[in-house]
Amino acid sequence: MKKFRKVLDGLTTSSPVNPCGSPACGSAAGTPSTAPTPRELEIQETLMSEHFQICKTVRHGFPYQPTALAFDPVQKILAIGTRSGGVRLLGRPGVDCHCQHESGAAVLQLQFLINEGALVTACADDTLHLWNLRQRRPAILHSLKFNRERITFCHLPFQSKWLYVGTERGNTHIVNIESFILSGYVIMWNKAIELSTKTHPGPVVHLSDSPKDEGKLLIGFESGTIVMWDLRAKRSDFRIYYDEAIHSVSWHHEGRQFMCSHSDGSLSMWNLRNTAKPFQVTFPHGKTQRDGRKESCKPILKVEYKTSRNSSEAFVVFSGGLSYDKAGRRPTLTIMHGKAITVLEMDYPIVDFLVLCETPYLNEVQEPYAVVVLLEKDFVVVDLTQSNFPIFENAYPMDIHESPVTCTAYFADCPPDIIPVVYSIGAKHKKTGYSHKEWPVSGGTWTVGSQTYPEIIITGHADGSIKFWDATAITLQMLYKLKTSKVFEKPKSGDMGRSAELVEEDPYAIQMISWCPQSRIFCVVGISAHVIMYRFSKHDANTSITSLEVRLQCEMEDVISPSDTENTPCFSDPSGLSPQPQPPSPRSNMPDSVRDSIPCLKVKDRMIRMPPGYQAELVVQLLWVDGEPPQQITSLDLNSAYGLLALGNCNGLVVVDYLQKTILLCMSTLELYGSADPFQRLTRSPRKNRQSTSGLTELSDNQVSLDLERSKSPTSDHVNGHCTSPTSQPCPTGRARVPGGPEGPRLARRGPGRPPFRKAQSAACMEVSLPVSSLTEESRENSFSRSRSSSVSSIDRETKEAVTTLQFVESYGCKSDTLPTPCLWVGTSLGLVLIIPMSIPTDEQERQEDPVTVAPTGTVLMLKGSVLRFAFLDCGGALINSPYEVWRDQHAPDDPDRPRKRKLVNFSSSSSQEASGDGHLAVVCSERQAKVFFMPSQACLYVHNITESSFVLRADVVSVCNSVCLACFCANGHIMTLSLPSLRPLLDVSYLPLTDMRIARTFCFTNGGQALYLCSPTEIQRITYSQEICDNLQEMLGELFTPIETPEAQNRGFLKGFFGGNAQTFDREELFGEAAAGKASRSLAQHIPGQGRMEGMKAAAGGVVGELARARIALDERGQRLGELEERTALMMTSAESFSKHAHELMLKCKDKKWYQF
């Protein structure tokens, strides 16, 4: 435990001087502080480097770009492979594991070693991998790399250790699963087909052993050739040459016939007694045309042929096969049961499907009970036991991407009552019609760990929807869904073109989320420059939504003082306290040049019935100004105790009193400084000297002030937004930027005179400097085109000052203050911090009637880079929480016994704050450095340059191990933690090799040492940077493998076995072993030992010990039973001897008597 002592004497401190040479960190005026300051500040820091470690915990959501599917019918575990080399293993809720191949090659096929706790993956780099699933984090035990042939198909018979591998050349190799070494036994394509055949049969597309005889292997080639290979005799039993290409083959369980699916949309049935031609060919979806021919159909990519005891008719399930003339039809899954044909339309293309059966034995009646369908963007399970084939309610959160995720928020250690309340509201809106059966994928075991606390994840989406998720422990469950688009009028059909032109296809997309769990007040920022405030209620209500409209684009002439402008602080004008009158309809088809004082969307202006849950109360919208669309909102903060809402963008700052529904402040950023502007900038109309070159307009600063700004903030030019406010720099030349750089061609696509309607901004207004090669089409689709709250945009680089972060807090507005008062801290993209004190009435009645006074004082603090985060510590180093209001249901029935008054926490009048008058510490983090100031003296105690080569994307002050630290995520993928208040580096790990737009937009930290980000467009990755959680992670994760006895094979009976040709005993070891088949060529494949071999050996050893223990117990029980049997046998023998003795005596007694003497 280390003590840090700092002696404060006025403005002088013992901290190092700011190395960047910026002005003093105190106020701009430099007036010495007269406020009392402690002579000695003692803070004990408990966090050390040993408390931190980066580790992935769990991944939620739908596997991105799935490619393969497999199921273990005994363990009931499901595996999904992806194009990026990932494998997702799913069991009962809580059993969810993600594995990743280091090569990143796509997974072509998955094969479970049924009930063995192992999985074989075949990847696109022609490598086979064996995964050990008997440990909580699966690992690769063996790998086998094929050098000369491409893998196309794999098949592993049940209870076999020999894997059949088909290749692109048409050959079939055999791999020993235990040693992962190739056998010398090879089925060459030229031996499988007839010598007279002149063409190559094509790649192997199917391999399966006959249910009737395991010594017969059915090989299907792409060209339509099918060969039944006798493994013992090493020759073919029969060959089938069909005109249509084969996609899949499925056996009848008796092994006498099989079914093939073909590229012409047909299904062919073959009998082993006559393989000259199929005994049945059907086109399930092909109708007979007038000329007698079948209409052309799409290929049937897969077919499954399953039998059932309860019905003489088999189930035939297949995908595809629709006729080509039915354009626009969605992908289908067809279920044929007898004469009944059911077609299930899917929302996305089908990747793969599996029919789940009761038995793992292929030679038994299969008894299908469900179909697992893997789609490109969804996962569906169909119940086959009911005639209407309902689907199961998905047990996993597979719909995170229902609409693209645009922003995230993560809240740990929430109030314990919030999750049940929100869930009870969301449960009322759940869909119905699901199957009542138990979820079929029920393998593994999982228990809630001892160290759990309520956690909530909130996701914002492109369609304006908000989803609340219960993230307690390592699970994720949907709680509640909110649609923000219901606040606005639906656009008319004729106006859709105008709306789409402005904000493309998603006018309601969510950019930012602000939530107060204590007061349950919820705010969202939308792409159309609007803010919606919601209150939570358990009761429905009929109410109207208040709309406030703000004109936050100043039009000034040349050089004028802020006092002469029309946009002076609104608190000085009583008329500004009332909502502005409704403007003309924003959907009118007027030209852009005359669109003025109208919002982008129209709020519903009538009484609305709102269901229980979050109910909209207030909408704040920024207006068009002279044909210029409003710039997007880049920062937001709400305080329930103050009743205030603040928002900012690249034009200025707005403060709203949501209790009185009035606008308190509407000023440009430059006006907030007054005479304290450290750069001494002069306002100028942005509409002067505007020229258009290739549709691109820019206002540049004079060289002197521009160089000054860049010296103070290296990333001050990374500010999004169009220059349409007086915060722009003077432009003596008015030259337009020529599109010549890497972003020039992209910018030149804008029309002349039309400023870009920003789609990629957020609270930081920063830009990620990514390599050009990383901006692929896929990354653009996943990040930029879907980005509605991106904190990283590389479209414009203009020297404008945007409001990048806001926070309400009890602080000191001036150096002379002796007691804290309500303040608004404002951070800008130029690294400047402004403190705006406010006067808020404390009496509830006065708060509803008297105005709140907001008075910018010109207090300025400076950092390098755009300001990202504020936090406040007391003199003991503990985090100071902002005041809040305790939640109360405003729509609950009136109760005379319980007066409905506002209950405020951490908020009191100035006369009762003596205990807080000793000052506090302010932690300010920018994209380049972090500083700790002592308030009210504004002395800089500590400074730390976080990064020089990159910049910080996300920063948060979080609690870890009963202490607090500053956590940072940088654009180069580094995750760092700094101690507080000394800013001592504790952790610096290169976690991600490359940061893309999506990760930068969605990365967020939370308390307890946890964080999350969107690792793909459909998946959320949760990580931890706490050593304690890493140590306890094993007990938090679920077990994939549980010891289960393999079901015994059914006794087929003597007659059925005799007449049906009972399966012959087949010793694969005798055929494929090294003694009989020899060794394979070393150049054909290379064996690679896996990293998980030790873990696997330990797991295997543990399994052996467990088996021995169970065997010992079984022997003891058997011995006990044998002892009991021996005792019973002895008693029977004694009883028999006694009976024999009595019988002998009776015989002797009656021996000499005649029959008539009895």
Side-chain angles (χ1 to χ4, degrees), residues 955-989:
D956 283 291
V957 173
V958 293
S959 61
V960 181
C961 299
N962 299 320
S963 187
V964 291
C965 68
L966 175 63
C968 302
F969 175 62
C970 295
N972 58 6
H974 281 244
I975 293 180
M976 307 177 185
T977 59
L978 306 173
S979 67
L980 291 177
S982 66
L983 300 177
R984 181 168 43 90
L986 298 173
L987 175 73
D988 186 355
V989 175

Side-chain angles (χ1 to χ4, degrees), residues 1021-1034:
Q1021 178 68 57
R1022 291 165 67 179
I1023 66 172
T1024 181
Y1025 49 95
S1026 167
Q1027 180 67 57
E1028 182 180 4
I1029 295 181
C1030 290
D1031 295 339
N1032 298 326
L1033 186 59
Q1034 289 295 324

